Amino acid sequence: MKAMILAAGKGERMRPLTLHTPKPLLPVGGKPLIQWHIERLARAGLRELVINHAWLGEQLEARLGDGTSLGVRIRWSAEDEPLETAGGIRRALPLLGEQPFVLVNGDVWTDFDFARLQLPTGMLAHLVLVDNPPFKAAGDFLLQGGRIANPGAGEQADAMTYSGISILSPRLFDGLGEGPQPLAPLLRRAAEQGLVSGERHTGCWVDVGTPERLQQVDQLARET
């Protein structure tokens, strides 16, 4: 199975740190944030990686190369313009192939064991959810008996946050045109059709979206 790391974001909330350094290369515990993902994926047996990039992407390629030094094989999907999540994945599909693949946001830090991920038969996606962090009061999806559902009126308080970790079938993107497009509408549509499963992760997970949270995960990493 292959894995894709999303690394094309500009990191606006991280400025000025990301003015000259792409967010995935910001240091956490003495190594780049993205390297934590690469090492965890490799330990889980996921050594065929696709990484997309846009802002300062040449720095990512120069730093990580083909992944040999980290025990993986990296193929790069360069974006001339930001394509958002679904648009970036669609661009990378020729590199990912026809089988389900693991997807992980490059700007989260977690102890999640990627070896656990499986896509149940007939599903288009399997999402990992986490309890809503302090900076996000409302969640994204409901988890009901191993299935993902969209929260209805009055159910938002019971919803949890999508962690940015999932396993997806390329069929989720059937019929999707080119250009910038978000992933959430595809997931919500598939959930309405009963085609998305999920699980809850109760371990460590941080959305590294601000300099303050970068300091938090740097401390966590040094204590690991």
Side-chain angles (χ1 to χ4, degrees):
M1 186 185 300
K2 295 181 180 180
M4 181 174 183
I5 302 176
L6 298 172
K10 199 169 184 179
E12 298 280 3
R13 292 176 297 165
M14 278 288 195
R15 291 190 171 194
L17 298 177
T18 51
L19 287 175
H20 306 289
T21 303
K23 183 158 66 167
L25 289 184
L26 293 176
V28 170
K31 55 189 174 186
L33 174 61
I34 196 171
Q35 187 172 332
W36 290 90
H37 282 326
I38 293 172
E39 292 174 351
R40 284 193 174 276
L41 288 166
R43 285 198 296 271
L46 298 161
R47 295 186 172 87
E48 294 287 322
L49 309 183
V50 174
I51 303 176
N52 70 338
H53 67 69
W55 174 249
L56 301 176
E58 68 280 356
Q59 292 188 32
L60 280 165
E61 291 203 34
R63 180 66 178 269
L64 300 174
D66 64 2
T68 301
S69 63
L70 295 172
V72 298
R73 180 186 180 221
I74 297 174
R75 302 182 72 182
W76 297 96
S77 180
E79 300 175 9
D80 297 328
E81 61 171 337
L83 294 175
E84 299 189 54
T85 306
I89 296 170
R90 185 194 182 282
R91 169 75 63 85
L93 284 179
L95 302 176
L96 290 164
E98 299 180 356
Q99 299 302 312
F101 58 91
V102 170
L103 181 74
V104 57
N105 288 357
D107 58 358
V108 301
W109 193 84
T110 180
D111 61 359
F112 182 79
D113 180 6
F114 293 103
R116 289 169 40 191
L117 282 175
Q118 293 185 351
L119 184 63
T121 301
M123 295 291 106
L124 292 179
H126 179 87
L127 310 184
V128 178
L129 304 184
V130 294
D131 293 339
N132 299 330
F135 53 85
K136 184 177 180 181
D140 302 309
F141 297 101
L142 299 171
L143 182 60
Q144 300 174 332
R147 293 288 184 96
I148 294 292
N150 297 313
E155 294 182 310
Q156 201 71 44
D158 297 323
M160 290 188 288
T161 293
Y162 169 50
S163 69
I165 301 168
S166 58
I167 179 168
L168 306 178
S169 166
R171 294 188 297 114
L172 180 69
F173 303 90
D174 285 353
L176 188 69
E178 296 183 0
Q181 297 174 79
L183 180 61
L186 298 183
L187 295 175
R188 294 198 182 282
R189 185 159 57 246
E192 287 176 0
Q193 300 169 348
L195 297 175
V196 184
S197 59
E199 65 183 274
R200 178 189 180 196
H201 176 57
T202 58
C204 184
W205 177 88
V206 181
D207 175 356
V208 190
T210 65
E212 292 75 21
R213 296 204 289 273
L214 180 67
Q215 292 180 351
Q216 176 189 354
V217 298
D218 181 68
Q219 183 62 37
L220 287 170
R222 293 181 185 279
E223 294 172 353
T224 301

